[in-house]
């Protein structure tokens, strides 16, 4: 089983490429999403754009994702300890060494993989460059 995680506040092509690459590592793909409160803590006022239950429903509808879980903690260490994925997949904005939960994954013999395309897409950037200017017009 592979675990991927993030806020996934506004689904974009970078997320899809990340999920597909994580799924290609083999087995079931579980995606953990940050709760609304944790997104606000990480991203600031006005976030998330969509509530956690909507984000979870959208992700669960994707063919490459086998299960979705919401977590409230600042990182997924507790969930990693609980489900013990064979692989913890993170996006290309990380390195194997910088993944916050990497230590926990390695403790039980799992591995961390960096997958997806270069970090050329982000919800924060889409809001800043595409959505915010329209709101001002």
């Amino acid at each position: 089983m592979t675990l991927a995680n993030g806020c996934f506040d506004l689904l974009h092509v970078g997320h899809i490429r990340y999920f597909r690459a994580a799924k290609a590592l083999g087995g079931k793909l579980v995606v953990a999403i940050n709760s609304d409160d944790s997104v606000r803590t990480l991203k600031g006022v006005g976030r998330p754009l969509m509530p956690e239950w909507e984000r979870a429903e959208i992700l669960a509808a994707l063919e490459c994702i086998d299960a979705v879980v919401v977590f409230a903690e600042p990182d997924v260490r507790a969930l990693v300890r609980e489900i013990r994925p064979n692989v913890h997949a993170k996006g290309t904005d990380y390195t194997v060494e910088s993944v916050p939960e990497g230590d926990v994954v390695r403790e039980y013999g799992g591995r961390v993989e960096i997958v997806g395309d270069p970090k050329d897409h982000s919800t924060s950037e889409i809001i800043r460059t595409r959505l915010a200017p329209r709101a001002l017009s």
Side-chain angles (χ1 to χ4, degrees):
M1 177 222 330
T2 299
L3 174 68
N5 73 284
C7 297
F8 311 115
D9 192 13
L10 181 61
L11 198 60
H12 56 69
V13 69
H15 293 143
I16 300 301
R17 292 171 182 164
Y18 169 55
F19 298 141
R20 286 181 177 157
K23 179 69 173 185
L25 294 171
K28 303 277 187 196
L29 175 58
V30 176
V31 176
I33 65 169
N34 293 78
S35 69
D36 290 348
D37 286 341
S38 80
V39 173
R40 268 188 289 283
T41 299
L42 292 168
K43 303 294 183 174
V45 177
R47 301 283 299 277
L49 299 174
M50 292 186 291
E52 61 196 39
W53 61 271
E54 287 184 8
R55 291 182 284 128
E57 184 175 342
I58 289 167
L59 294 181
L62 296 176
E63 189 175 309
C64 60
I65 296 175
D66 296 293
V68 178
V69 62
V70 177
F71 70 99
E73 297 79 18
D75 62 45
V76 292
R77 280 186 172 92
L79 182 63
V80 167
R81 284 186 181 102
E82 183 177 339
I83 67 172
R84 298 171 60 97
N86 299 332
V87 182
H88 182 48
K90 292 296 280 186
T92 58
D93 47 335
Y94 289 91
T95 65
V96 170
E97 297 77 25
S98 71
V99 171
E101 309 81 21
D103 58 338
V104 176
V105 175
R106 288 184 288 276
E107 279 175 11
Y108 63 82
R111 72 182 200 274
V112 173
E113 294 283 343
I114 305 302
V115 299
D117 64 349
K119 184 72 176 188
D120 294 334
H121 317 280
S122 82
T123 299
S124 297
E125 186 67 13
I126 289 170
I127 291 168
R128 190 180 69 71
T129 62
R130 298 184 199 175
L131 299 180
R134 291 182 187 162
L136 299 174
S137 333

